[in-house]
């Protein structure tokens, strides 16, 4: 989950995906609770016809925090994108010019991610094949989703209309670039709206302590629908067309974080190559262990140790006899 500071990202993960009031740190003050990136220490599972799907929840520091800067925000956004298969952008209210400005750092993704090893590797279109599914979540949304003629539309249609370029010069040109960047970077995208969970401002500020019985019924209904949507639509993170296991995810995280911390641009193909090399080494080790017997099994080592001890005892006895004979002489 990504989004601006103090918009309820951690609360969203707790209430909707962890299905509990507390979990990721939340607070009622203006100071952000989450610094950097945090991973929940337990796997969230969802049953499927063939078994179950396992999810890792990733919470991120809010963008535009008081002690952050645009470069840090852009890098954190890029890291979450690189590690995720399903990315939730959390914002409050309708999609308007202001909310587009808040997500403007998407236009800078090409400066923080290298999609390919050659060619136009930093174009947003090059990033699209590796991008996660994108869900724009509208919090505290109180408007009706209708056209200018009053016809009802879906949240997805509302998003597409909001991303359509608008005519004009000056500031509108900049916002149109943001619209185009979102459309290019996230070919698979959707939108979902949630009403305000409670009407009481004091309870909203301390939402983690609010009892379920005090939460609006419509919010609970929407929250259940959102949870089902995410757990159904989210797909495993893939590397080279194959689902990534825990070891592959760790390799990706290490590769991307190392590049970011050293001031380099994280390379998707470079990280994928590391995963492939790890898989090859693991497969090769398995083949060698299966086809070629180990040079020294535990039993062999025990026999060799016993033989060395026996030889040592014989030599010690021989030396003792020689010393005794010399003493008698």
């Amino acid at each position: 989950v990504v989004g601006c500071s103090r918009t309820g990202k951690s609360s969203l993960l707790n209430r909707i995906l962890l299905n509990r009031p507390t979990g990721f740190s939340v607070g009622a003050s203006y100071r952000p609770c989450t610094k950097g990136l945090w991973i929940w220490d337990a796997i969230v599972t969802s049953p499927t016809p063939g078994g179950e799907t396992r999810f890792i929840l990733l919470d991120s520091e809010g963008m535009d925090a008081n002690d952050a800067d645009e470069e840090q925000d852009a890098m954190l956004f890029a890291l979450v994108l690189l590690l995720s298969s399903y990315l939730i952008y959390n914002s409050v209210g309708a999609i308007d010019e202001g909310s587009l400005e808040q997500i403007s750092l998407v236009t800078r993704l090409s400066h923080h991610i290298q999609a390919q090893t050659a060619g136009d590797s930093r174009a947003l279109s090059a990033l699209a094949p590796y991008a996660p599914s994108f869900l724009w979540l509208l919090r505290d949304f109180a408007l009706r989703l209708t056209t200018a003629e009053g016809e009802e539309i879906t949240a997805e249609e509302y998003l597409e209309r909001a991303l359509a370029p608008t005519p004009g010069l000056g500031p509108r040109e900049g916002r149109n670039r943001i619209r185009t960047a979102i459309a290019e970077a996230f070919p698979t995208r959707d939108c979902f709206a949630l009403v305000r969970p409670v009407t009481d401002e004091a309870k909203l500020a301390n939402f983690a302590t609010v009892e379920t019985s005090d939460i609006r019924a419509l919010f609970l209904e929407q929250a259940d629908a959102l949870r089902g949507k995410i757990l159904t639509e989210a797909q495993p993170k893939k590397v080279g067309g194959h689902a990534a296991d825990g070891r592959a995810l760790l390799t990706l995280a290490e590769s991307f974080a190392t590049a970011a911390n050293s001031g380099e641009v994280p390379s998707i193909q470079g990280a994928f190559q590391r995963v492939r090399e790890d898989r090859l080494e693991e497969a090769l080790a398995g083949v060698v262990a299966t086809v070629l017997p180990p040079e020294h099994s535990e039993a062999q080592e025990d026999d060799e140790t016993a033989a060395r001890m026996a030889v040592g005892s014989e030599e010690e006895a021989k030396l003792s006899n020689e010393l005794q004979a010399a003493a008698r002489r």
Side-chain angles (χ1 to χ4, degrees):
V1 177
V2 295
C4 290
S5 178
R6 314 309 299 153
T7 55
K9 298 183 301 300
S10 301
S11 177
L12 162 75
L13 290 171
N14 294 339
R15 286 281 183 176
I16 296 179
L17 292 177
L18 290 178
N19 203 23
R20 51 188 289 177
T22 59
F24 286 103
S25 179
V26 297
S29 74
Y30 71 93
R31 295 182 178 277
C33 296
T34 306
K35 305 295 291 183
L37 304 181
W38 287 80
I39 296 177
W40 188 244
D41 63 354
I43 301 296
V44 175
T45 61
S46 176
T48 62
E52 66 178 14
T53 302
R54 298 181 177 185
F55 299 90
I56 296 176
L57 303 185
L58 181 64
D59 194 11
S60 65
E61 178 178 345
M63 299 180 293
D64 74 5
N66 291 335
D67 56 350
D69 55 45
E70 291 185 359
E71 192 70 15
Q72 176 180 322
D73 287 345
M75 180 53 70
L76 286 175
F77 187 92
L79 285 176
V80 176
L81 184 153
L82 289 168
L83 294 172
S84 301
S85 64
Y86 197 91
L87 179 65
I88 302 173
Y89 177 71
N90 184 79
S91 69
V92 176
I95 302 177
D96 53 21
E97 303 302 295
S99 59
L100 286 172
E101 287 290 348
Q102 290 174 342
I103 197 176
S104 61
L105 56 78
V106 73
T107 62
R108 301 175 56 192
L109 284 175
S110 59
H111 298 285
H112 296 277
I113 300 174
Q114 182 178 354
Q116 302 169 359
T117 56
D120 192 9
S121 61
R122 294 199 185 183
L124 285 174
S125 57
L127 173 63
Y130 311 99
S133 299
F134 178 82
L135 178 69
W136 193 323
L137 180 61
L138 307 176
R139 305 289 294 277
D140 302 349
F141 191 82
L143 304 177
R144 289 183 58 204
L145 294 177
T146 60
T147 64
E149 294 75 25
E151 297 179 359
E152 290 191 0
I153 58 175
T154 65
E156 182 180 5
E157 291 171 331
Y158 172 66
L159 173 62
E160 294 307 312
R161 288 170 179 263
L163 295 182
T166 59
L169 302 175
R172 289 191 175 183
E173 289 182 301
R175 296 187 187 107
N176 282 339
R177 282 194 293 270
I178 299 171
R179 292 181 170 96
T180 301
I182 295 172
E184 287 187 358
F186 303 106
T188 302
R189 53 187 180 271
D190 203 348
C191 183
F192 197 96
L194 284 173
V195 298
R196 180 170 289 202
V198 292
T199 56
D200 185 281
E201 293 293 338
K203 290 182 178 180
L204 184 64
N206 296 278
F207 189 51
T209 64
V210 176
E211 298 292 336
T212 303
S213 58
D214 293 330
I215 300 176
R216 295 172 64 186
L218 179 56
F219 177 86
L220 294 176
E221 179 183 335
Q222 292 175 338
D224 285 342
L226 176 60
R227 176 182 172 84
K229 177 182 180 65
I230 295 172
L231 297 183
T232 300
E233 295 182 356
Q235 299 296 313
K237 180 70 176 179
K238 292 186 177 180
V239 176
H242 301 282
D245 57 12
R247 181 175 178 180
L249 287 174
L250 178 60
T251 300
L252 291 179
E254 289 178 339
S255 179
F256 294 143
T258 298
N261 290 332
S262 61
E264 300 176 358
V265 177
S267 168
I268 295 177
Q269 286 298 327
F272 282 12
Q273 181 61 29
R274 281 192 56 189
V275 172
R276 285 190 286 265
E277 290 173 355
D278 287 349
R279 285 174 172 170
L280 180 60
E281 290 179 3
E282 184 177 5
L284 182 59
V287 171
V288 170
T290 302
V291 177
L292 301 177
E295 295 181 0
H296 297 282
S297 65
E298 292 184 3
Q300 288 175 323
E301 290 179 357
D302 291 341
D303 291 340
E304 290 173 359
T305 300
R308 285 195 297 269
M309 292 176 63
V311 171
S313 298
E314 293 175 357
E315 291 179 347
E316 289 176 0
K318 182 179 180 181
L319 179 60
S320 176
N321 292 334
E322 291 177 353
L323 290 175
Q324 292 177 2
R328 287 194 295 271
R329 291 194 296 269

